[in-house]
Amino acid sequence: MNGLFSVLIFIAGLLLGSFFNVCIYRIPREQSIVFPPSHCPSCSKQLSWLDLIPVFSWLFLRARCRYCKSRISFQYPMVELFCGLIFLFLYIIHGISGTFLTYAILCSVLVIATAIDIEHQIIPNGLVLTGTIAGVILVLTGFSVSWKDALIGMLIGGGTYLLVALLSQLVLRKEGMGGGDIKLMGMIGLMIGWRLTVLSILLSIYAGGIIGGLLLLFRVKKRGDAMPYGPFIAIGTIVSIFFGNELIQWYLQTIF
Ligand SMILES: [Zn+2]
């Protein structure tokens, strides 16, 4: 690990986070993610580089557009900072390696999917497809898990949630799991292999139960409200890739 390189990776994460904010806004609105250049969604004024410095612009402008003074969501600096930190930690743990590249791409897809799912209750097919193609290339070029591990991971990931969806359709007569969640989990399995996939599924179910329960308890959500599941998949997966091997080892030692 190299100090200067750590700073560069952190800055790259911040800048990519800034681009992901554009994706989060534009993909569900079916707009191009490259053209036109960034503009304020309220007054349509094109933004200068001074308005686009990750985290700092938001702080200096006190969360308001420089031109029309409309509020800029807290989501913008949060996504930027989160990506900067995730990239930095992945680099500290894995160095520049195939694993770093795989997890960085995976986390990027998860951040975008989470923010879109919270706002629109969808996980865009194009986003998951892009991640899947990247995952296949990484597996075939030997930068990620073995192809067998990837294939089993994809079947377990997608298959488990497909089963949950079918069962809740049959037994509860309601949609328990959306198609987007099933495809996203399949893509994750492909990228992290079957062991971490099993853990990720368990953790996402726990996260959904705990956080969902708290949201009901504090009346943020009512019973019967749509609850996006993508964020829980993202939490389970990010915890798995950072602490998965330790958690699995601890679990096996405790049980046996
Ligand atoms: Zn504006």
Side-chain angles (χ1 to χ4, degrees):
M1 198 195 76
N2 173 312
L4 175 67
F5 222 79
S6 305
V7 176
L8 289 175
I9 293 279
F10 178 65
I11 293 172
L14 290 177
L15 291 169
L16 277 170
S18 178
F19 170 64
F20 297 158
N21 276 318
V22 175
C23 299
I24 290 163
Y25 185 83
R26 293 188 186 182
I27 291 173
R29 291 172 175 84
E30 297 188 341
Q31 299 169 355
S32 159
I33 52 171
V34 284
F35 187 83
S38 294
H39 52 267
C40 166
S42 296
C43 66
S44 300
K45 177 109 175 113
Q46 190 178 324
L47 303 178
S48 79
W49 66 271
L50 264 175
D51 306 315
L52 293 170
I53 305 166
V55 184
F56 287 98
S57 289
W58 187 85
L59 288 173
F60 287 140
L61 295 169
R62 294 168 194 266
R64 285 183 188 282
C65 168
R66 187 195 301 275
Y67 313 100
C68 70
K69 305 292 172 207
S70 66
R71 275 216 159 272
I72 306 168
S73 161
F74 181 56
Q75 176 206 299
Y76 286 85
M78 217 169 65
V79 164
E80 289 157 355
L81 195 61
F82 186 76
C83 289
L85 290 175
I86 285 270
F87 277 51
L88 176 65
F89 291 143
L90 285 176
Y91 170 65
I92 291 173
I93 299 169
H94 299 289
I96 293 296
S97 61
T99 311
F100 169 83
L101 196 59
T102 305
Y103 288 174
I105 292 173
L106 176 61
C107 290
S108 302
V109 172
L110 290 176
V111 167
I112 299 171
T114 296
I116 292 178
D117 201 15
I118 290 174
E119 200 186 333
H120 304 272
Q121 275 83 49
I122 51 155
I123 298 174
N125 279 327
L127 178 67
V128 177
L129 185 65
T130 308
T132 306
I133 292 170
V136 169
I137 293 172
L138 287 164
V139 168
L140 292 180
T141 48
F143 280 113
S144 183
V145 293
S146 75
W147 71 266
K148 276 184 197 157
D149 197 1
L151 191 64
I152 300 171
M154 192 165 83
L155 291 174
I156 290 180
T160 305
Y161 281 164
L162 180 64
L163 204 65
V164 172
L166 291 174
L167 281 176
S168 52
Q169 199 74 262
L170 279 172
V171 181
L172 304 171
R173 305 241 166 241
K174 63 171 192 174
E175 193 180 84
M177 195 66 67
D181 301 315
I182 299 168
K183 287 176 248 178
L184 180 67
M185 201 60 226
M187 182 213 80
I188 293 167
L190 166 79
M191 291 177 103
I192 65 178
W194 73 269
R195 283 182 195 82
L196 291 181
T197 298
V198 171
L199 182 67
S200 163
I201 291 171
L202 289 174
L203 291 173
S204 65
I205 292 170
Y206 295 149
I210 295 168
I211 298 169
L214 287 173
L215 290 176
L216 286 176
L217 189 67
F218 290 104
R219 308 267 164 91
V220 183
K221 292 262 179 195
K222 292 192 302 289
R223 204 163 274 284
D225 276 357
M227 185 98 71
Y229 198 70
F232 302 126
I233 294 179
I235 292 172
T237 304
I238 291 174
V239 173
S240 287
I241 63 174
F242 277 102
F243 307 105
N245 292 323
E246 286 78 5
L247 278 172
I248 291 170
Q249 206 171 8
W250 169 80
Y251 181 77
L252 293 178
Q253 275 170 357
T254 317
I255 298 300
F256 300 109

